[in-house]
Amino acid sequence: MLKSELADLGALLIRKRLRPVREIAEWKPEEPEDLAEGTPRIRPLPDITPFMNEPLPPQLKAHVQLRAYQREGVAFIRATDYLTYLGDPPGLGKTIQAISAALYLPGRILVIAPAGARDVWKREIESWTTESVFVFRPTSKKTPKEEKFVVASYDALLSRQEQILSMKPDLVILDEAHYIKNKEAERTKAVHDCLIAIPRRLLLSGTPAMNRVDEVRKQLEFIHPGEWGDEHWFRRRFVHPLENGTPEVRMHLGRDGIDERRGG
């Protein structure tokens, strides 16, 4: 009897898995559930015009020239008060845009990057600007002095947390921000616990969602705390339509979905 019941249950599970997913044919930019707590507010596109006319920061070296789209990227970062996600594909100059935008700020800049990218940031800051850089090293007890830029790895947030927090930076830049896609990971918790109080939070990644759409949600929550915390809402409103929607629904989402809320 038990064997027969298990066989029936197995057959039912197979049928469910093989059943075609119903395609989502419509998506609305606004739903009543969007007004619930833990969901992002819809924001208009920021006006980048005043920032497009700014001269480049004097700390940039004379040989540095930004392309037109990079100037627009810097202006967008400035217009959002550095609360944004720069997700340009690799090779388009996210680093120079972030550095250029950071130079307009008077205070210290904290860069959190994968361990292998720390020296890349140091080299490029020194190549492109007249500012000095301090890099946290796991085997050194040295601490920053007067350097404008401080670069640390994600792991350093766990081992050098007190020293990093004592700097009170004007801006934190998270390089390869998809490193905080997993809400259960220690480094994700460390980033949110240690850095959320920094007033300006700029995220960079050429691959915001490496495997699944919902990987981007925790990253956006770092930019606007409290607005992207409802995981179930995010899946209903974005993940399911992107995975199961018609081509028109997916195009509509790309134009009027996450981007319209200006989470990044």
Side-chain angles (χ1 to χ4, degrees):
M1 183 68 178
L2 179 59
K3 184 176 180 181
S4 174
E5 289 176 351
L6 289 174
D8 290 343
L9 178 59
L12 176 62
L13 292 174
I14 290 172
R15 285 199 299 273
K16 284 187 174 181
R17 294 193 66 178
L18 294 178
R19 183 183 300 162
V21 177
R22 181 177 296 178
E23 200 170 40
I24 298 172
E26 183 183 14
W27 186 86
K28 297 178 181 179
E30 295 185 52
E31 293 281 8
E33 64 178 314
D34 296 348
L35 301 177
E37 185 177 353
T39 61
R41 303 283 73 84
I42 294 180
R43 296 173 172 84
L45 267 172
D47 181 13
I48 68 172
T49 305
F51 302 99
M52 287 295 293
N53 298 325
E54 285 184 320
L56 290 174
Q59 305 99 307
L60 278 178
K61 292 183 178 179
H63 72 273
V64 176
Q65 299 294 322
L66 298 186
R67 298 178 183 274
Y69 72 86
Q70 293 172 334
R71 290 295 300 264
E72 289 183 8
V74 172
F76 187 85
I77 293 169
R78 298 269 289 147
T80 59
D81 198 23
Y82 299 77
L83 292 170
T84 197
Y85 199 131
L86 193 59
D88 292 343
L92 293 184
K94 292 185 292 295
T95 304
I96 187 59
Q97 292 176 67
I99 291 171
S100 299
L103 290 173
Y104 287 103
L105 297 174
R108 176 166 274 167
I109 310 302
L110 173 63
V111 178
I112 303 295
R118 289 173 304 182
D119 287 325
V120 175
W121 274 89
K122 182 178 189 297
R123 183 171 63 249
E124 294 188 340
I125 291 168
E126 292 175 342
S127 173
W128 295 333
T129 83
T130 58
E131 296 289 357
S132 55
V133 190
F134 176 88
V135 178
F136 274 102
R137 305 287 183 187
T139 57
S140 173
K141 294 184 179 180
K142 291 183 179 179
T143 57
K145 294 182 173 58
E146 301 299 324
E147 295 88 353
K148 171 80 170 178
F149 288 87
V150 174
V151 181
S153 68
Y154 284 91
D155 290 339
L157 285 176
L158 301 173
S159 60
R160 311 290 289 274
Q161 182 179 131
E162 186 175 336
Q163 294 168 328
I164 292 173
L165 290 179
S166 68
M167 298 184 308
K168 295 181 170 52
D170 276 356
L171 165 70
V172 58
I173 299 170
L174 292 191
D175 187 26
E176 304 294 355
H178 55 267
Y179 268 50
I180 63 166
K181 66 184 181 181
N182 184 352
K183 65 180 181 180
E184 303 299 333
E186 287 300 318
R187 63 185 171 205
T188 301
K189 295 175 182 177
V191 164
H192 281 261
D193 292 345
C194 301
L195 307 179
I196 206 74
I198 298 174
R200 300 171 185 86
R201 300 176 294 278
L202 172 60
L203 274 60
L204 313 178
S205 178
T207 51
M210 299 187 71
N211 298 305
R212 304 185 310 276
V213 177
D214 53 357
E215 291 176 349
V216 78
R217 184 191 62 82
K218 197 64 179 177
Q219 301 170 59
L220 295 177
E221 191 179 6
F222 180 67
I223 301 174
H224 293 295
E227 291 193 18
W228 295 91
D230 190 332
E231 183 176 356
H232 299 293
W233 169 86
F234 186 81
R235 291 194 63 80
R236 286 194 305 272
R237 293 290 281 132
F238 298 107
V239 178
H240 294 319
L242 281 168
E243 291 180 347
N244 305 316
T246 63
E248 291 77 14
V249 164
R250 293 196 295 271
M251 182 180 68
H252 195 180
L253 265 169
R255 186 179 66 241
D256 300 323
I258 297 174
D259 185 59
E260 186 173 79
R261 282 163 172 77
R262 303 305 155 208

